[in-house]
Amino acid sequence: MGIMSRTPLIAGNWKMNLDHLQAIATVQKLAWTLKDARHDFDDVEVAVFPPFTDLRSVQTLISADKLPIRFGGQDVSRYASGAYTGEISGAFLAALDAAYVIVGHSERRMMHAETDQIVAEKTAAAVQHGVVPVVCVGETSEDRESRGAGVVPVEQLQVVLDAVQPAEIVVAYEPVWAIGSGQAATPDQAQEDCGALRRAIAGAWGDEAATATRVLYGGSVKSGNIAGFMREPDIDGALVGGASLDVAEFAAIARFRQHVGL
Ligand code: PGA
């Protein structure tokens, strides 16, 4: 795991699952499960990323019950406001106390034609509104074979780093073949790429930013494989999709120190 100054982040990307009523039940259950297990949220941060229609309900629950769980959106508009039907402003996320927002998830890059430039603009919009962007980058197995490990994700991140002034961001390395496939990258592969991403941050924003920035691994993370990733020096947490919908499993991932002795 990364040096102690970086608090590990276990982030649950629900994708298009769970409506607002299911969201309330899920967050409540997650909070109880982690509380029962005496989870130290200052030691390992836990965040959920529900669909937009759930966010107000999740915010209300978290603030009323003072739950130590953080939350974010799954996407954000490049624009602050205006005639952009269907878009959600970073200002709206900030007004809901969203701590984070995912930008550039590979599903959006592929299905919504989000380019590196758009991802950079969305990152800038999130930063501008005080919401920490979780910038997703990734590569296909062909990219990795033909271009080399980490080359494509570093190129994707470089566009963001060049366009945005140094700020708090989280980077998530998610190899496309590993997402939702049950075939996670190996810890070695993930470390190779996460290390390359951290070096890119150092090159663009300086060593201090590189040391402070959390780099997550994502792609078929489960309680059974989180340990291997968290032992790597440049992996500071996980972006969890499918397994984040199962409260017991997600809580076990968040509690990686207990079952791996880290
Ligand atoms: P997965 O998804 O954990 O279901 O592989 C990860 C992600 O897409 O963020």
Side-chain angles (χ1 to χ4, degrees):
M1 202 208 38
I3 64 163
M4 293 313 287
S5 64
R6 294 193 295 267
T7 303
L9 172 61
I10 301 298
N13 172 14
W14 293 1
K15 309 193 179 185
M16 198 173 74
N17 295 290
L18 308 180
D19 66 25
H20 72 290
L21 297 173
Q22 295 168 317
I24 292 168
T26 302
V27 171
Q28 251 162 357
K29 195 170 162 198
L30 179 62
W32 291 334
T33 304
L34 287 169
K35 195 174 171 222
D36 279 354
R38 299 186 202 292
H39 182 73
D40 180 354
F41 290 87
D42 294 328
D43 179 48
V44 178
E45 195 183 336
V46 178
V48 293
F49 294 77
F52 284 131
T53 51
D54 299 6
L55 288 178
R56 174 62 169 159
S57 304
V58 167
Q59 178 226 6
T60 303
L61 170 66
I62 285 177
S63 82
D65 291 0
K66 298 190 171 50
L67 304 181
I69 294 171
R70 307 184 84 189
F71 65 93
Q74 297 175 11
D75 183 32
V76 66
S77 176
R78 292 181 264 175
Y79 308 109
S81 66
Y84 304 104
T85 302
E87 295 284 288
I88 300 292
S89 170
F92 305 161
L93 293 173
L96 271 183
D97 304 325
Y100 299 106
V101 65
I102 295 171
V103 295
H105 190 279
S106 71
E107 286 153 15
R108 294 207 63 87
R109 289 178 186 265
M110 285 186 290
M111 292 185 279
H112 300 271
E114 288 192 10
T115 61
D116 294 336
Q117 190 54 43
I118 291 172
V119 173
E121 289 177 36
K122 289 185 170 195
T123 303
V127 168
Q128 187 204 324
H129 293 292
V131 180
V132 174
V134 178
V135 181
C136 299
V137 295
E139 63 198 339
T140 62
S141 45
E142 297 76 51
D143 288 338
R144 208 167 200 278
E145 271 157 39
S146 64
R147 306 279 317 277
V151 173
V152 168
V154 164
E155 280 177 1
Q156 291 172 347
L157 184 62
Q158 194 64 48
V159 176
V160 171
L161 297 171
D162 290 343
V164 180
Q165 291 291 104
E168 186 187 350
I169 66 169
V170 175
V171 174
Y173 165 64
E174 298 204 302
V176 174
W177 77 83
I179 295 176
S181 66
Q183 295 212 296
T186 66
D188 280 358
Q189 281 174 346
Q191 165 58 31
E192 200 174 12
D193 284 65
C194 291
L197 291 165
R198 195 178 305 285
R199 286 192 294 279
I201 299 168
W205 286 3
D207 287 340
E208 207 177 308
T211 302
T213 301
R214 289 177 293 182
V215 180
L216 313 183
Y217 165 75
S220 298
V221 170
K222 299 189 285 278
S223 61
N225 62 21
I226 184 68
F229 295 112
M230 296 310 291
R231 279 193 202 100
E232 298 293 343
D234 287 304
I235 302 179
D236 307 310
L239 185 54
V240 184
S244 74
L245 301 172
D246 177 336
V247 169
E249 179 65 8
F250 187 58
I253 294 169
R255 288 174 40 69
F256 66 88
R257 291 199 203 279
Q258 270 58 41
H259 52 103
V260 304
L262 276 172

